[in-house]
Amino acid sequence: MNNENQTAVTIEHRNHVGLVTVNYAPVNALSQAVRAGLVDAIEQLEADFNTKVIVIRCEGRTFIAGADIKEFGKPPTAPFLPDVVNRIEACEKPVIASLFGTSLGGGFEVALACHYRVAINSAKVGLPEVNLGLIPGAGGTQRSMRLLGPKQALDMVTSGKHVGVTALKDSGLTDAIFEKDLDKNTIAFAEQLIAEGKLTPRRVGEMNVLGDFDWQAAKAGIVKKARGKDAPVVAFDVMEKTQAMSISDGMAYEREQFLILRKSEQSAALIHAFGAEKAASKLSIDAKPLDVVKVGIIGGGNMGSGIATAFLSSKFSVQLIEQTEEALEGGLGRIKGNFAGNVKRGRMSQQAADDCVAQLNGSIDYQTLADCDLVIEAVFEDIDVKKTLFAKLDDVCKADAILATNTSYLDIDEIAATISRPQQVVGMHFFSPANIMKLMEVVKADKTSDQVVATAMNVGKKLKKVSVLVGVCFGFAGNRMYTRYGREIQQMLLEGATVEQIDKAMTGWGMAMGPLAVQDLSGIDIGHNARSAQPFPEHDQGYFRAAATMVEAGRLGRKTQAGFYTYGEDGKPQNDPQVEELLRAKAKSLGITQRKIDAEEIVDRALFALISEGLALMEAGIVQRLSDIDVIWLHGYGFPRHKGGPMFQAQQLGDVNVANSLADLQNQFGEDIWPITDTDAMG
Ligand code: 3H9
C-alpha cells in the first residue's frame, strides 16, 4: 500500500477475522485512495493464511456514501469502481459489509458486492445516482435486481430514495440487523461463520434475476415521475435490457450508459445543484450561533401558522401571539390542523404529533415573549404596522433575543433603525406553505451582527431548510427576480402571447407550474396590491398591466373562479376568450401592436429576465455567490433541478453569448426595460 491508501484504508487482525477499515472524512467517499486501498486490503487478506473472513467497516459518521463527488469532472483514475467491486466479489474468502449511516451509490455497490451484509438498525441504503443525473455505474443496477428483486431494485434505482435496512429485511439484503454495538456484533457474526465452517463466498453476481416481473407495466409510471429527467428512464432501460444477461455483460452495458450520462448537461446541472446547496450553507463570517430553544411567532395566519408548524416539527417550543382571542384560537387551530394532516397522510405518528403540539402555547399578551430567544413576526405587509410591532418587541424581549421579520419585500434597515438594538434584527423570509417549502432567505440588514446571521442560518439548518444569505433590497433576491420574470411574462401577454401558450412553454421547458397558473393560485390581487403601494415605474408602460386588467375585471384567480383562466366545477383551468379580448383591448390602448410569439421566444425572454436580474443582484452584493441564486430558484420557485438554476443556465451559455443576447433584448425593447448588465460576475 502507498501512504495515502494506508491512511484511507487500514487493516487489523482479530484472530481469524481481517478487519478492513475505511477512514476518509467526511463521508468515506470512494476517492482514488479508498478504491486502491480496498483492492490492496482484499488482496493482502486473501493471501494471508491466518485470515478466514474479511469485514469491511468504516470510521466516522457513515459507511461509504458513494463515489467521491469532488472527483467528478476530473479524468477517471484507476482502479475504477466496477473493477474494485468485482475484485471484492471475486474474493475467495467471505467478505462482510458492516453498514451504518447511509450506504449510498458506490458505497451500496460495495456492500452488494460483499458476500454478507450486517447492519445497525438505523442504517439506510440507497442508489441516489439519479439525483445527480446518473445511474449506478459499478454494478448497482445489476446486483440490486438480483438480490432485492426487480420491483424493489427499480424503485430504488429510479427514485434515488434512501431506504431503511429494517424496511428491506424481508428482501434478503441483510444477514443480521443489530440494535447496538455494530463492531462487536459484526465480529461475532464473522466468528460464527468461521465456527460453522461457512467459508464459501456467496456471490450476488452469480444469482439470476426473477423472471416474472412485468417491466412494461412499470415503465409508464417511471417516465411520468421522471418529469423530464433522463437518468431514471435510462436506468429503467438498462435494467430491462440486461435482466437476463450475465453480470459481466450487464455491467458493461450499465457502464456504457453511465459514461454517456456523466457527460450530459443534466448531470452537470444536478451536480452543480448539489454543490450549490452545500456552498450556500457556508458563511465567510466566524461567529458562534446562539442557542435557540423558545421561539415567539407573531401572527397566526397561513404564514405564521406554517412557520410555527416548522419550528414545532423540529422540536422548538413556540409561543404564538395574536391580536384577539378569536384570532389566536384560529391560529392555534391551523397549527394543530397541520399536524393532524401530517398524521392523516402517514407523515408522522399520532404520538410524535402530540409531542410537537405539547410545545405550543398562545397568548394575546406580548409580555409572554419575554423569555423567547427568537421572535419572528408574520403580520400584515405594511412598514408602519411592522415598525410599531418592533417597538413593542424592543420593550418586552430579553436583551439578546433575535428579532426577525418574515417580510417578503419591505426595507428591513428602515424597520431596524426604529429600535434600540438594530444589530439584533434580521430577515427570516419563509416561503408559503412555510412548513413544506424548503427555502428560507436569511436577510442581513445593514447593522445585523454576525452572530445573529450565524444563528439564523443555524436555525434554518435545524428546521431542515435550505437557507441562503441575502442582503436588503426590494424583494431580496428571490422576489426581486420573480418580479422581473413576472414583468416579462406580463409584457408578452400584451404583445400577443396567449395565457395557455406561456404556461405551456414554461412547463414544457421544465418549470413546475406555468407562471400564470401560479398567479391564479396565489391570487392576482395580492401582487397587484403590493405593487400598488410602490410608485408606478413610469418608464415601463406595460408593467404588470395584464394583471391589473384582470383585477379590474374582477378576475382575481382561483378564488373567484376566474383569473387568467376560468375554473369550472371540476376546478380545472380552461382558456377563456374573454381574457384574450381584455388583453387585446389593453394592448391597443397602450399602443402595443400584437404579433405571434413562439415558445422559444417566451422561454428565452423569461430566462434572460432572470439572468439579467441575477447578475444585477450579484453586482450589488445582495447575494454572496451566483450559485446562491440557483439554490433560491430551485427551492422557492419550482425551477427544474435538472436545469441547475438560472445562473447555471447562463454559465452554460457562456459570458459572451449572454452579453450578446442581453444586448439584443436591449436593442429590441430599450435600455429602461433591459438595463445594461455586467456579465463579469460569471467569471
Ligand atoms: C456514485 O456513487 C456513482 C457510482 O454509482 C458509480 C461510480 C463509478 N463525495 O450533506 P452533508 C460531503 S454517485 C464527496 O452536509 P449530511 C459534503 O459535500 C454518488 N463529498 O451531510 C459535505 O462536505 P462539507 C452517490 C461528499 O449528514 C459533507 O460530505 N452518493 C459526498 O446531511 C457532509 O455532507 C451521493 O449522491 C460524496 N459523495 O448528509 C451521496 N457526499 O462538509 C450524496 C457528501 O465540506 N450525499 N459529501 O460541505 C448525501 O446525500 C449526503 O451528503 C449524506 C450526508 C447523506 C451522505
Side-chain angles (χ1 to χ4, degrees), residues 41 100 122 164 171 173 202 205 363 365 371 382 385 387 443 480 482 495 515 567 585 597 601 609:
F100 68 105
S122 57
S171 67
L173 172 72
R202 296 180 324 181
S363 176
D365 180 3
D371 60 345
D382 178 292
V385 172
K387 281 183 188 168
V443 192
R480 178 165 145 181
Y482 191 63
E495 286 175 26
Y567 297 87
I597 298 185
E601 178 176 344

Side-chain angles (χ1 to χ4, degrees), residues 25-27 29-30 61-62 65-72 80-82 102 104-107 109 127-129 131-132 134-140 162 255 258 262 274 278-279 281-282 461:
V27 294
L30 288 155
R61 63 209 267 190
T62 179
D68 190 348
I69 294 175
K70 292 187 200 83
E71 285 185 0
F72 286 10
F80 305 120
L81 194 56
T102 44
L104 301 177
E109 290 174 308
L127 291 163
E129 285 85 347
N131 298 333
L132 301 175
L134 301 169
I135 61 168
H162 304 178
R255 182 78 180 164
F258 170 83
R262 250 192 80 163
F274 179 83
K278 301 283 162 244
S281 66
K282 300 213 161 53
K461 201 170 181 181

Side-chain angles (χ1 to χ4, degrees), residues 481-492:
M481 287 176 73
Y482 191 63
T483 303
R484 179 79 186 271
Y485 168 76
R487 187 244 157 246
E488 200 56 30
I489 297 290
Q490 298 262 321
Q491 176 74 27
M492 288 189 274

Side-chain angles (χ1 to χ4, degrees), residues 277-337:
E277 283 158 4
K278 301 283 162 244
S281 66
K282 300 213 161 53
L283 293 177
S284 53
I285 50 176
D286 185 20
K288 195 170 173 287
L290 292 162
D291 276 345
V292 173
V293 177
K294 186 169 176 191
V295 181
I297 291 168
I298 306 172
N302 281 340
M303 203 63 203
S305 57
I307 297 173
T309 307
F311 274 95
L312 291 165
S313 305
S314 294
K315 312 275 178 283
F316 289 88
S317 114
V318 167
Q319 178 72 14
L320 184 75
I321 298 286
E322 257 295 356
Q323 274 178 312
T324 62
E325 290 290 353
E326 199 187 350
L328 182 63
E329 278 313 302
L332 294 172
R334 267 186 282 279
I335 297 166
K336 289 174 190 162

